[in-house]
Amino acid sequence: MTITKTFTRMEVAEFNGKDGKPCWMIYRSGVYDFTKYLNKHPGGKKVMLEYAGKDCTKDFESMGHTKEAVIDMVPYKIGELQEVKLDFI
């Protein structure tokens, strides 16, 4: 059985690529560490850092990325997003 690491949106937000911090992003329900990919991105490091610590799903898909781009993300996946459910009742 494989145990998958889970992260909250707040945890991912801490890794915003600023001040030497790693660059993490959410794509669909996955959490990715793109720190080592920043300088390899065809669109440049700056565009990647705009989404650091955030969910890039909507914009990634609207930019017309290929299936190969999604496959290229696999080695950078570090876990899954844990949706926090708050019960106030």
Side-chain angles (χ1 to χ4, degrees):
M1 180 170 126
T2 303
I3 298 174
T4 303
K5 179 83 173 145
T6 59
F7 302 95
T8 65
R9 288 183 185 274
M10 287 179 58
E11 288 173 311
V12 174
E14 292 178 33
F15 298 94
N16 59 13
K18 296 178 183 172
D19 300 320
K21 291 182 181 177
C23 173
W24 289 13
M25 289 182 213
I26 299 164
Y27 176 69
R28 297 200 175 192
S29 63
V31 177
Y32 298 81
D33 181 350
F34 288 122
T35 307
K36 293 181 180 177
Y37 182 71
L38 291 175
N39 293 320
K40 298 176 187 176
H41 186 262
K45 180 179 182 175
K46 186 176 178 181
V47 72
M48 292 284 288
L49 289 173
E50 287 181 39
Y51 298 97
K54 302 174 186 172
D55 189 328
C56 69
T57 306
K58 183 178 176 182
D59 290 323
F60 181 89
E61 292 179 351
S62 71
M63 290 179 194
H65 284 90
T66 63
K67 290 179 184 178
E68 288 79 17
V70 176
I71 292 168
D72 289 344
M73 293 169 63
V74 172
Y76 300 98
K77 188 170 184 179
I78 58 171
E80 293 288 329
L81 184 63
Q82 173 188 342
E83 291 295 342
V84 177
K85 295 178 184 173
L86 302 175
D87 295 322
F88 294 105
I89 299 175

